[in-house]
Amino acid sequence: MSDQLIWNGNNFVFPAGLIPDKEDSRDYKVTDVLGAPQVDWEKGFNVFEELSFAVPNKDQGSSLSCTGQAAAQYARVLHKKLEVEVFDFSPKFIYSQIFLPNGGATLRDAIKIVATQGVAKETLVPSMNGEFSPTEQFMEDTSWKSDAIFADAKSYDQFSYRVIPGQTSDIDLFATSIQQYFGLLLGFTCSNNGWCKPLISVPVKGDVTYGHAVYGCGFGMYQGKKCIFTPNSWGNRYGIPEGRWKGLQAIPEEYFTATIDSAVGPAVGYL
């Protein structure tokens, strides 16, 4: 997460980690294969409970690599579900191949890498700069590229994706997709005021906003609200401190139903 403002020609903004995708008529939609959403919000669902492994503690540092971070987290979960073993996959392998000239990337490009190339193990393409969280320059570096790494990554390309279109307000559809597909990737317009805490809140007028991608790993009730949960990629600084959702952040239903007047952009989910 960058805390450095840049001038976009009109005002100061945070650099955008997530660049919104353009609609593509060729996309396969989640609603083409899922029936009517049926969600037990009181029971909830937590991928890490279901698969019996730990919530990751990942930190993208000052880089804009949230798309790579989210896609690598999802690949880790899907591989655990399919093969039982747990690998940490490399956000840098993904992001360094898709970043745009001013930094940031689209979710479609991140998923396309995983679906066509697979994804390298973190041990082969480290996303931490030694003991330090990565910078943008570090995450954009492609000196890791070799035939051996691409060959190893190809072992993990057994994934495809479907789309939940932007501005979808039905949180039940997102919850059903998470349970059916053991997660999904989400894109939001965010503000630091709204996201630097366990229960995330919608940006308000006057907030400096930016695009951010996360892996959605569960759903349930939190503080009386229907929520989608994410491990995010900002370390464990803002996670829920205890209980069933420890280490995760909660995205409440009002984030999906907010109007454009509150400065919220598309809520886009990828499977």
Side-chain angles (χ1 to χ4, degrees):
M1 177 181 61
S2 175
D3 59 2
Q4 301 297 313
L5 292 171
I6 60 173
W7 180 253
N8 70 357
N10 297 305
N11 41 62
F12 285 101
V13 297
F14 283 113
L18 172 68
I19 308 302
D21 286 298
K22 295 180 180 179
E23 288 192 31
D24 190 326
S25 61
R26 296 170 297 179
D27 282 336
Y28 294 104
K29 303 293 195 299
V30 170
T31 49
D32 294 337
V33 293
L34 281 183
Q38 295 182 348
V39 183
D40 187 338
W41 285 98
E42 294 298 330
K43 181 179 179 181
F45 178 83
N46 183 336
V47 161
F48 300 105
E49 284 181 353
E50 291 291 318
L51 297 179
S52 301
F53 72 129
V55 174
N57 180 11
K58 303 294 183 181
D59 193 342
Q60 70 184 69
S62 61
S63 77
L64 303 175
S65 63
C66 57
T67 51
Q69 302 283 341
Q73 286 193 39
Y74 196 10
R76 177 177 181 258
V77 167
L78 292 177
H79 184 72
K80 164 70 171 174
K81 181 175 182 292
L82 292 171
E83 304 292 344
V84 181
E85 60 188 342
V86 177
F87 288 135
D88 272 347
F89 289 114
S90 170
K92 182 174 179 175
F93 175 86
I94 300 167
Y95 182 71
S96 64
Q97 299 188 72
I98 62 171
F99 69 89
L100 296 172
N102 292 319
T106 67
L107 274 174
R108 179 180 281 108
D109 285 346
I111 285 297
K112 185 178 179 180
I113 290 288
V114 179
T116 59
Q117 295 184 18
V119 58
K121 300 185 191 75
E122 178 70 13
T123 53
L124 296 178
V125 186
S127 302
M128 292 290 287
N129 191 3
E131 297 181 359
F132 300 99
S133 299
T135 62
E136 179 67 13
Q137 182 180 10
F138 179 82
M139 291 300 288
E140 291 181 1
D141 173 66
T142 57
S143 62
W144 56 265
K145 286 186 174 182
S146 72
D147 291 344
I149 287 176
F150 280 115
D152 187 81
K154 192 66 177 174
S155 303
Y156 310 107
D157 69 343
Q158 65 267 50
F159 308 120
S160 59
Y161 68 90
R162 288 182 178 271
V163 176
I164 297 175
Q167 306 289 6
T168 298
S169 61
D170 183 4
I171 195 173
D172 283 10
L173 177 58
F174 289 91
T176 300
S177 300
I178 288 173
Q179 188 160 10
Q180 178 73 24
Y181 300 107
F182 276 67
L184 78 169
L185 303 184
L186 293 158
F188 294 103
T189 295
C190 309
S191 69
N192 280 354
N193 288 336
W195 278 69
C196 293
K197 53 190 177 182
L199 179 60
I200 290 166
S201 59
V202 174
V204 297
K205 289 182 179 179
D207 280 356
V208 178
T209 58
Y210 51 91
H212 185 52
V214 297
Y215 165 61
C217 66
F219 64 85
M221 302 298 295
Y222 182 71
Q223 295 188 5
K225 297 174 180 284
K226 295 179 181 179
C227 292
I228 300 297
F229 294 92
T230 176
N232 211 337
S233 53
W234 295 349
N236 58 9
R237 294 184 293 278
Y238 309 117
I240 295 167
E242 58 186 358
R244 181 183 187 187
W245 310 109
K246 182 177 179 179
L248 305 175
Q249 288 179 269
I251 308 170
E253 183 175 20
E254 56 258 34
Y255 221 115
F256 296 85
T257 58
T259 67
I260 200 69
D261 290 337
S262 59
V264 177
V268 182
Y270 280 78
L271 300 172

